[in-house]
Amino acid sequence: MARTVVIEAHGGPEVMKIVDRPVGEPGPGEIRIAHKACGLNFIDVYQREGLYKLALPAALGMEASGIVEAVGEGVIHLKPGDRAAYSSQPPGAYCEARVMPAAQVCPLPDSISFEEGAAMMLKGLTVDYLFNRTTPIAKGDWVLFHAGAGGVGLIACQWARSEGINLIATAGSDAKCQMALDHGAVHAINYRTEDFAKRVREITDGRGVDVVMDSVGKDTFEGSLNSLRPLGMMISFGNASGPVPPVDLLALASRGSLKITRPTLFTHIADHATCQEMAGRLFSKVASGSVRIEIGQRFPLDQVAEAHRALEARMTTGSTILTL
């Protein structure tokens, strides 16, 4: 049996409950993993609220790290005793142990701690597809990144610095802006006190940025479009402030033939080999010191509701993990 966070109805943090669930043995293509730590992400909130519908009752959580206890038939990249970390479907990472598909579980290098592994997989793999798999971004290009002091944002700031990319971060306080600057952003804008689109134009001498990476959604979408240069790319990859309303395609034309995409991590990592390749790039960035994983908050598993409240209230910085 393993303590597991489940929901029986969509709603606020109070709908989460911890129950004992049987773990069982892995079948073909599966592993059983005993968790050391679990990561917390906005997708967990979207699933809990019902923005992303789950068949109920459902377990929550999309990333974790731990020790492989058993492997099923056909699993060759992992063995019992291996350290491992993942961001993977289906949900269910908020638990002490689970049986799950093996394809997106990655061997975790000894140089990376279990807490770092739990804090970095979904966020770090997201940064990898944003910079390497969505649109060409070259040294010297300008990127606007919203929520620059969050878990994804602090990784993105460091990633951009390591690649010679000019990243402009936005955040909701001067302290968070300073965090983004300390992690590699070349400029940071407090969107509560400044018009970020206007400030972006000033920073770029009126040109606009090549790419916007926006996980905030509804509140920043219009300003994000206004921050792009002609032929620029808008990457909308989250909905922290709510989903983006329907888009008038003529608005893209009038702003200079803009491009827009709405990717998801799980499309990018669906192929086993691609997932392992992306994880390899992420691990190399961390092992080399180019990217440091900042864990701003730790909550025990039985305080998962408090962790969700802190995330939704924008009271967190860096990554948040659940400890076991």
Side-chain angles (χ1 to χ4, degrees):
M1 305 292 285
R3 290 191 306 152
T4 304
V5 176
V6 301
I7 59 171
E8 296 175 346
H10 294 296
E14 69 280 356
V15 303
M16 294 183 289
K17 57 179 67 176
I18 297 177
V19 301
D20 288 323
R21 275 191 164 186
V23 179
E25 295 297 324
E30 294 181 330
I31 65 162
R32 186 175 73 239
I33 184 169
H35 288 154
K36 297 292 187 180
C38 314
L40 189 75
N41 297 280
F42 260 104
I43 190 173
D44 309 339
V45 174
Y46 306 153
Q47 291 174 342
R48 189 205 74 218
E49 291 177 331
L51 179 62
Y52 297 170
K53 296 292 186 183
L54 298 177
L56 300 174
L60 292 180
M62 303 300 294
E63 74 178 338
S65 66
I67 299 288
V68 176
E69 292 187 324
V71 302
E73 180 183 353
V75 177
I76 60 174
H77 71 291
L78 296 165
K79 64 183 184 303
D82 280 355
R83 306 171 79 251
Y86 67 87
S87 175
S88 178
Q89 300 275 23
Y94 291 180
C95 66
E96 294 174 323
R98 68 185 295 202
V99 168
M100 63 179 296
Q104 280 68 46
V105 181
C106 304
L108 184 66
D110 292 340
S111 60
I112 299 174
S113 72
F114 286 116
E115 288 198 345
E116 290 171 322
M120 70 188 280
M121 293 302 289
L122 189 146
K123 303 165 191 71
L125 292 173
T126 294
V127 172
D128 182 79
Y129 85 66
L130 289 172
F131 281 90
N132 291 314
R133 293 177 53 83
T134 306
T135 190
I137 304 175
K139 182 177 180 179
D141 282 353
W142 287 87
V143 169
L144 174 63
F145 198 101
H146 293 298
V152 180
L154 291 182
I155 295 173
C157 289
Q158 297 173 84
W159 200 291
R161 178 174 59 189
S162 74
E163 301 284 342
I165 295 162
N166 298 307
L167 186 144
I168 302 170
T170 72
S173 71
D174 291 343
K176 288 186 175 183
C177 285
Q178 188 59 53
M179 285 190 70
L181 291 169
D182 291 344
H183 285 76
V186 296
H187 293 276
I189 303 167
N190 183 339
Y191 64 80
R192 297 190 190 277
T193 59
E194 290 190 89
D195 179 336
F196 72 82
K198 180 181 178 182
R199 182 70 182 115
V200 164
R201 292 289 174 181
E202 294 171 353
I203 292 168
T204 60
D205 296 325
R207 175 179 178 271
V209 295
D210 301 283
V211 180
V212 175
M213 300 176 180
D214 187 347
S215 65
V216 175
K218 176 173 63 68
D219 289 354
T220 52
F221 185 76
E222 193 74 13
S224 292
L225 294 182
N226 291 334
S227 300
L228 282 165
R229 65 162 175 82
L231 302 177
M233 169 63 84
M234 169 69 176
I235 307 173
S236 176
F237 69 101
N239 327 277
S241 67
V244 174
V247 178
D248 178 4
L249 291 181
L250 290 178
L252 305 181
S254 65
R255 287 173 168 88
S257 302
L258 302 183
K259 295 166 283 187
I260 186 168
T261 185
R262 180 54 172 93
T264 70
L265 171 62
F266 300 107
T267 306
H268 283 277
I269 65 172
D271 175 72
H272 167 72
T274 300
C275 177
Q276 301 297 320
E277 177 187 345
M278 292 171 64
R281 281 195 296 266
L282 172 60
F283 294 152
S284 293
K285 290 284 188 184
V286 174
S288 71
S290 296
V291 170
R292 186 174 72 253
I293 304 303
E294 297 284 351
I295 301 173
Q297 302 73 217
R298 294 170 174 82
F299 293 86
L301 185 66
D302 59 8
Q303 291 181 15
V304 64
E306 288 83 353
H308 272 232
R309 291 187 183 101
L311 184 66
E312 291 179 86
R314 312 284 181 86
M315 298 299 292
T316 63
T317 57
S319 298
T320 303
I321 63 169
L322 302 174
T323 58
L324 299 164

